[in-house]
Amino acid sequence: MPLTTRSSARFSTSKKLLTSVALVGSLFGLAACGGGDAGGSAEADGSQSASAGASQPASEGAQAAPEDAQPSMPEPDVENVPDVVATVNGEEITGEEFTAAYQAQFQQMAMQSQMSGQEMNQDEMKKQLAESLVGTELLVQDAEEQGHSATEEDVNAFLEETAKSSELGSVDELMATFEEQGYPEDQVRADAQKQLMLDQSIETMDIPEPSDEELKELYDSSIAAQSEAQGGASAPAEGGESAQPETPSFEELKPQLQEQVKSQKENEALTQKMEELRGAAEVEIKL
């Protein structure tokens, strides 16, 4: 997490992204990635520049070495996805739902693979996604049994909040972002409803508030990671000013740190609940 206050506008959405552990989280993660951000990371800007440079013709008399060429983006393998990927206590997870989630996840994983140089194992990715979808379905079923629900008005409000936090101008723009990733609007709305029901379940859980010690530990580790990424202390620029922006203080970042630690605790509680539900559930995965 870059230690800048510019990311605070997205942080309220990030909390929601982290609470669902599966499809819902990856789905609304796309929205957050899709919004513009004038303070985007140097890493992202660098990858865009590299990509743009790779598309330019080589200068006259020069020829790039084959090993320097950027590898082509792999394609998701969804040809053999069954019509029903899994059943959870009699409820079906369809191949259409699985494919939409996999294609969206695949794009993110493929970019990470290109940056790290590690090969992708699509069979393993599919198995992990199927397990995550099963876990989400178990949590949603449990939320329904507790009496939680979300109306169409609730969903509309959630989508408007997501669009705003993702720095998109409207819900229509948000839907267009999802459409580009292969998510139809009805799937987006269904997953938004699931997210809201999971949020209600979280509110009933006994989750401890983040302690100052936990917040300080996260702050210190983030500073150390940022310093390492920047190669240590930055050299002064011309005029005597530091070439890097000043690191915000602990107090400045404390609200963001609280949200991040709180989200982590919520994830842990949901994961534990999911494992308990899985032990008593009738689950069949057909991949």
Side-chain angles (χ1 to χ4, degrees), residues 68-113:
D68 292 336
Q70 187 175 10
S72 60
M73 186 72 75
E75 294 292 330
D77 179 13
V78 293
E79 291 185 2
N80 297 320
V81 173
D83 292 339
V84 176
V85 170
T87 58
V88 184
N89 294 325
E91 294 292 329
E92 294 181 346
I93 297 175
T94 67
E96 182 179 4
E97 178 182 356
F98 177 89
T99 298
Y102 183 72
Q103 289 175 332
Q105 183 188 68
F106 184 87
Q107 291 194 10
Q108 297 173 4
M109 296 298 293
M111 287 188 290
Q112 292 177 13
S113 175

Side-chain angles (χ1 to χ4, degrees), residues 11 14-21 202 205 207-211 214-215 217-219 221-222 256-272:
F11 212 87
S14 298
K15 172 183 178 294
K16 293 185 181 297
L17 313 185
L18 294 171
T19 55
S20 69
V21 305
I202 289 172
M205 295 180 178
I207 301 175
E209 291 294 323
S211 66
E214 290 172 318
L215 300 181
E217 182 180 352
L218 176 59
Y219 177 78
S221 63
S222 298
Q256 291 176 248
L257 297 167
Q258 286 175 324
E259 289 290 345
Q260 185 166 344
V261 174
K262 185 177 180 180
S263 293
Q264 180 180 345
K265 290 177 177 290
E266 290 172 350
N267 285 336
E268 292 170 353
L270 280 176
T271 299
Q272 181 178 349

Side-chain angles (χ1 to χ4, degrees), residues 37-218:
D37 188 345
S41 66
E43 183 180 44
D45 292 341
S47 64
Q48 291 174 355
S49 299
S51 177
S55 64
Q56 297 296 325
S59 58
E60 187 174 354
Q63 184 174 359
E67 58 268 19
D68 292 336
Q70 187 175 10
S72 60
M73 186 72 75
E75 294 292 330
D77 179 13
V78 293
E79 291 185 2
N80 297 320
V81 173
D83 292 339
V84 176
V85 170
T87 58
V88 184
N89 294 325
E91 294 292 329
E92 294 181 346
I93 297 175
T94 67
E96 182 179 4
E97 178 182 356
F98 177 89
T99 298
Y102 183 72
Q103 289 175 332
Q105 183 188 68
F106 184 87
Q107 291 194 10
Q108 297 173 4
M109 296 298 293
M111 287 188 290
Q112 292 177 13
S113 175
Q114 281 192 324
M115 293 174 63
S116 66
Q118 295 180 344
E119 293 186 6
M120 300 178 66
N121 185 334
Q122 293 206 47
D123 289 339
E124 186 63 26
M125 286 174 58
K126 290 175 186 176
K127 292 177 182 178
Q128 292 177 354
L129 177 59
E131 288 288 347
S132 294
L133 291 172
V134 166
T136 295
E137 179 61 30
L138 287 169
L139 291 170
V140 170
Q141 289 179 11
D142 181 67
E144 290 176 336
E145 290 179 4
Q146 295 180 49
H148 300 313
S149 63
T151 66
E152 183 177 354
E153 289 75 15
D154 295 332
V155 169
N156 289 338
F158 175 79
L159 293 174
E160 289 173 4
E161 178 188 351
T162 302
K164 181 179 180 180
S165 298
S166 302
E167 299 180 6
L168 297 171
S170 66
V171 173
D172 288 341
E173 289 186 27
L174 179 69
M175 291 301 179
T177 300
F178 288 133
E179 287 284 354
E180 292 174 0
Q181 306 295 333
Y183 278 105
E185 181 172 347
D186 58 347
Q187 186 69 57
V188 174
R189 290 185 173 276
D191 292 329
Q193 185 180 42
K194 293 178 182 180
Q195 178 68 74
L196 289 168
M197 293 171 65
L198 292 180
D199 287 346
Q200 294 172 39
S201 291
I202 289 172
E203 291 175 1
T204 67
M205 295 180 178
D206 185 16
I207 301 175
E209 291 294 323
S211 66
D212 285 342
E213 290 77 10
E214 290 172 318
L215 300 181
K216 192 64 167 62
E217 182 180 352
L218 176 59

Side-chain angles (χ1 to χ4, degrees), residues 237-277:
E238 292 184 9
E241 295 183 0
S242 173
Q244 298 293 341
E246 183 179 352
T247 299
S249 69
F250 172 73
E251 290 300 326
E252 287 178 302
L253 285 177
K254 191 172 182 178
Q256 291 176 248
L257 297 167
Q258 286 175 324
E259 289 290 345
Q260 185 166 344
V261 174
K262 185 177 180 180
S263 293
Q264 180 180 345
K265 290 177 177 290
E266 290 172 350
N267 285 336
E268 292 170 353
L270 280 176
T271 299
Q272 181 178 349
K273 181 67 174 179
M274 181 182 66
E275 291 173 352
E276 293 172 359
L277 294 170

